[in-house]
Amino acid sequence: MNDLPRILAGLSPAKRALLARRLGARRDADATLPPIVRRAEPGAPQPLSYEQRRLWFLDQLSPGSAAYNIPAALRLRGRLDVPALSRALSEVERRHEALRTRFADTGGELAQLVAAHAPVELPFEDLSTLPDAARELEALRVAGEEARRSFDLAAGPVWRARLLRLSHDEHVLSVVMHHIVSDGWSVGILVRETATLYAAYARGEESPLAELPVQYADYAAWQRAELRGETVERQLEYWRRQLSGLAALRLPADKPREASSERRGAMRRFEVGAELAEGLKELSRGEGATLFMTLLAALKLLLRFHARQERIAVACPVANRQRVETQGLIGFFLNTLIFRTDCSGEITLRELLRRVRRVCLDGYANQDVPFDRMVEAVHPERSADGQPLFQVAYTLHSVDDEPLRVEGLTISPLDVSSGTVPFDLVLNMLDTPGGLGGAFLYDADLFESATVETLTADFEIILRLAVERPDSPLGEVEAELADADRRRQAAQEREYEAARLNKFMTTRRKAVTPGRAG
């Protein structure tokens, strides 16, 4: 919702009044809950948050899985003060108890236990002796290996860092945290605090960061004690109505589904140019919506077309940091909302966006309910892979292309992956100054790459038509998708036949040549 100021400016007075009422109700609901406070016995076992409990059970179902690892890799260019970096990471761990937490059964009760702080040792590997061309590949291989290495949640630690030296003025820092103590927001906190602390320590100064007033375990205890009663019950009733009778999405898989401890992930990237991206934002503003909602509407139509279903549910993570006490903490606050939209009828693309917008606003107004409590309230049938309620997820993030600069260092992200995917299909979108970046992350044990290439091409067609002809009926859009798919299929068949003929002729020439020589 990064274009919120422009959206507000474009809303009619009636829409602004409606939004004000929604926000007022949101503030009133928050005001009924007491603040999060420091627990009386910081060293005592503490309950898990609802979010952590779900991740712990998933880890028990698939021990050794890296599906819930959150990797980050940073390229550091410039003269690096390694002791200052190691000290900065150590101080980040001291500040955030979540990074010193392990999870264990204490007399029949699952609890999180916070260990005393000890200085962090930063493993170091020198790759500078390798040939120039090999250093980058080896750094990416090692970072990927770190991303795929699992955690023991009972023994800890639940995060790790590793430093790779490529040359005297270039390093790669690999950091991996388990999702049970982290989320995307947490990665940003870790990077910013490490950079701030590194700058101070490199100058011979002490930490400029204020002590944190509360810790994640304080939030978990507050959540279990306070998120109950009339407000939460009212929100639970919304999710019971919204998700009642939810059917599994039947995307046409290329391979049979098998229960597996590890989903092999693969990725198909694509780009949306600046002109089309701006057109999507303009459409969003005209409907009082956000770019997030417009892209979600396009994804819903894509899924309707390929699954041949009309009520489409997609999971979308939300930061879940409405309370000011949580905004500076590393921890697993992320909540999952299920946006289920009725895509039936001969409606237009514009009307589909309006339906998605309404569903999103209602979901945001009821986002206090943790995902596992939604599951308990709805009682869905468990699927073979253990995922209730949804099979497809979607995210949108904004990124700044400018690297971070601190004390002679230029810090920029490197793309690493654990090689796994938690769901059948995930659409990740990035809003950048030059347009939109997209990636379909998919279960390679279900889908062939050609299938996901088709999904990607169809998604791009929907985005273009949403800008060019937003009042087109969905049936008309789907007819264009079907024509495009037939043309791609025919082209693939021609390529296959040409390759088969070429192979046949090559084999025939090889067979004839020896006879001529004789």
Side-chain angles (χ1 to χ4, degrees), residues 49 200 259 269 274 278 286 302 397 440 464 480 493 510:
S49 68
R269 298 182 185 276
E278 184 54 40
L302 178 75
H397 297 289
F440 277 107
R464 176 175 54 80
E480 291 203 28
E493 290 176 356
K510 287 180 178 178

Side-chain angles (χ1 to χ4, degrees), residues 324-401:
V324 66
E325 305 100 317
T326 65
Q327 292 176 9
L329 292 178
I330 289 176
F332 181 20
F333 294 94
L334 194 77
N335 197 13
T336 301
L337 302 184
I338 312 298
F339 293 129
R340 183 190 191 189
T341 307
D342 180 0
C343 304
S344 64
E346 195 50 27
I347 59 174
T348 64
L349 284 165
R350 192 186 302 276
E351 176 56 29
L352 176 61
L353 172 56
R354 291 171 179 171
R355 290 186 184 184
V356 169
R357 175 184 175 276
R358 286 194 294 270
V359 167
C360 287
L361 289 176
D362 288 343
Y364 294 145
N366 292 279
Q367 65 176 294
D368 292 320
V369 176
F371 176 73
D372 75 318
R373 294 201 63 187
M374 292 184 206
V375 176
E376 291 171 359
V378 177
H379 300 296
E381 291 186 10
R382 291 279 176 171
S383 59
D385 58 5
Q387 284 299 336
L389 298 179
F390 69 92
Q391 294 75 42
V392 177
Y394 155 64
T395 67
L396 169 66
H397 297 289
S398 292
V399 296
D400 189 344
D401 288 340

Side-chain angles (χ1 to χ4, degrees), residues 62 64-70 147-150 261-262 418 420:
S62 302
S65 171
Y68 292 96
N69 285 4
I70 299 182
R148 291 185 292 273
R149 190 154 58 91
S150 62
S261 61
E262 194 83 1
S418 66
T420 62

Side-chain angles (χ1 to χ4, degrees), residues 227 229-242 366 369-378:
L227 285 189
E230 181 181 345
T231 299
V232 173
E233 282 304 316
R234 185 168 61 249
Q235 293 190 20
L236 277 172
E237 183 55 35
Y238 165 80
W239 292 110
R240 289 189 189 99
R241 293 194 308 271
Q242 177 69 3
N366 292 279
V369 176
F371 176 73
D372 75 318
R373 294 201 63 187
M374 292 184 206
V375 176
E376 291 171 359
V378 177

Side-chain angles (χ1 to χ4, degrees), residues 311-333:
R311 286 170 173 78
I312 306 297
V314 172
C316 298
V318 292
N320 194 32
R321 294 182 185 243
Q322 303 95 297
R323 302 194 68 89
V324 66
E325 305 100 317
T326 65
Q327 292 176 9
L329 292 178
I330 289 176
F332 181 20
F333 294 94

Side-chain angles (χ1 to χ4, degrees), residues 252-272:
D254 300 302
K255 309 169 190 177
R257 183 184 298 278
E258 296 179 3
S260 171
S261 61
E262 194 83 1
R263 290 172 175 260
R264 289 190 307 114
M267 186 179 293
R268 174 67 167 82
R269 298 182 185 276
F270 61 96
E271 299 289 336
V272 177

